[in-house]
Amino acid sequence: MENLCIVGLQWGDEGKGKVVDYLADGFDSVVRFNGGSNAGHTVVVDGSRHVFHLLPSAALKSKNLLIAAGVAVDPDVLSEELSLVKRYRTRTVVDFRATVVSPLDKMMDVMVEELRGPSAIGTTRRGVGPAYALRAFRLSPRIADIITDSLDMASMRNFYSKFLPKVPDMEDWQRKSRILLKKIAGNVSDVINEINEKGGAVLFEGSQGTLLDLLYGTYPFVTASGTLSNYVPESVGVPPNRVGDVMGVAKCYATRVGSGPFPTETDKEDAAKIRNEGNEYGSTTGRPRRIGWLDMVSLKYAVKINGVKRVSLTKLDVLSKLKRFKICEAYSVDGEETEDFARCLPKIDEVRPVYSDGWTIRGEFDRNRMGGSVQRLIDYIEERLRVDVKLVSWGEDRSMTYER
Ligand code: IMP
Ligand code: MG
């Protein structure tokens, strides 16, 4: 059994949580490999909803939960989430090299957004960007530094005192964080090695999505970490050949929370309908998500750059509520049609989508058989992206999943 990597192919909120929960059975452990508590991964079982921000989405399957060195860890959020999963038989290990998000990072996140004024990114204000930035400054504490009290926290406070109106006392936070982190800190890359050496496999769970990647996304309207499969080896501390196959998760339309370019964004009417049917509100911030049509140009880019061979397609039930919908086949820019997303990236604000129209999905969902209109969409996606569509999801609940 090989390791498997799950990544989002759009701007996040593709339904990765559901897919990870569904697939977790075959794996020893699930590893969160990027971002921090800006993420919100939802798992629904028998009508009860669980949203994970920091822990991998496999607690309900009683899997071991690993948080890699490349994640920005907020001890307060972690503490809350661990208490929610207490009743499941899971073991949690957080890599001792991971970056810690402090209350100061959260204050800084808010302040930098205010400084940007009308060009604010619309971050989740969870302090993830500042924590990674401070890591690059060599000022942010790692998990190990909190535990051993070894980092010169005074330098971090001094740095922040130049920007923040008031730097609160952190002793209480440090003490609480130390108690928590001592119990769960470990060497995640060694844990993965041991599992693989014994013939077991792990699932790498990405957060956010390809188009929010710090380097390859719609910069500057992106998150502060890598979101692609190529971030896995760096973040979790395994060689690239151990990443395994890559499965991409794509919603059959697109959404985006926060500001930034969104070529296939729909008009208000369609947006309201889809948002309502798909409950498209941020699971971390509650903000209404912006809505767009399925965009094959950016999907092709995401498939290529992640090395995706298998795809999970989600939320088909939502489009089945529309009379018809559109799919973006190409971009028109400078009087030319192109399917080359990377080429368009520097002037992504200027591209105009070229659509095929008249698509429909009828409500023909079944665990054993997909109806004709669903099959047509799957065939189209497989052919256009040269991937295998492995899972099709038509509702939040774990049971509403068709496996091919
Ligand atoms: P940050 O990651 O909080 O710095 O936010 C940067 C951008 O990424 C904003 O547009 C956020 O809305 C977006 N973002 C961050 N995390 C997620 C996520 O898990 N799902 C969707 N969008 C996200
Ligand atoms: Mg989400």
Side-chain angles (χ1 to χ4, degrees), residues 278-296:
N279 190 26
E280 295 292 356
Y281 295 88
S283 42
T284 296
T285 58
R287 291 178 288 179
R289 294 177 184 144
R290 296 158 66 195
I291 311 286
W293 301 116
L294 189 66
D295 178 350
M296 298 307 282

Side-chain angles (χ1 to χ4, degrees), residues 171-244:
E171 265 176 33
D172 198 37
W173 173 81
Q174 265 175 269
R175 191 183 49 77
K176 274 196 314 200
S177 303
R178 190 179 309 126
I179 294 168
L180 170 80
L181 297 173
K182 246 186 185 165
K183 289 187 237 160
I184 54 174
N187 183 335
V188 166
S189 79
D190 273 0
V191 174
I192 296 171
N193 277 321
E194 280 160 25
I195 292 168
N196 286 160
E197 272 162 21
K198 286 185 195 148
V202 302
L203 191 59
F204 299 111
E205 175 178 358
S207 62
Q208 291 84 46
T210 299
L211 304 171
L212 288 173
D213 180 85
L214 180 60
L215 294 183
Y216 296 95
T218 52
Y219 186 84
F221 299 97
V222 293
T223 192
S225 75
T227 62
L228 309 177
S229 56
N230 64 22
Y231 188 59
V232 172
E234 154 93 349
S235 168
V236 313
V238 301
N241 62 3
R242 293 264 298 287
V243 174

Side-chain angles (χ1 to χ4, degrees), residues 57-109:
S57 314
L60 312 186
K61 289 274 179 83
S62 297
K63 295 291 160 180
N64 293 325
L65 308 176
L66 309 179
I67 299 179
V71 175
V73 179
D74 182 333
D76 293 334
V77 175
L78 192 56
S79 161
E80 220 168 278
E81 288 198 346
L82 283 170
S83 64
L84 291 176
V85 302
K86 240 188 199 142
R87 59 204 171 96
Y88 301 98
R89 281 190 309 117
T90 62
R91 184 168 77 107
T92 303
V93 183
V94 183
D95 196 275
F96 66 100
R97 292 155 288 205
T99 303
V100 174
V101 179
S102 84
L104 303 186
D105 299 318
K106 286 185 259 191
M107 292 164 72
M108 188 60 142
D109 204 344

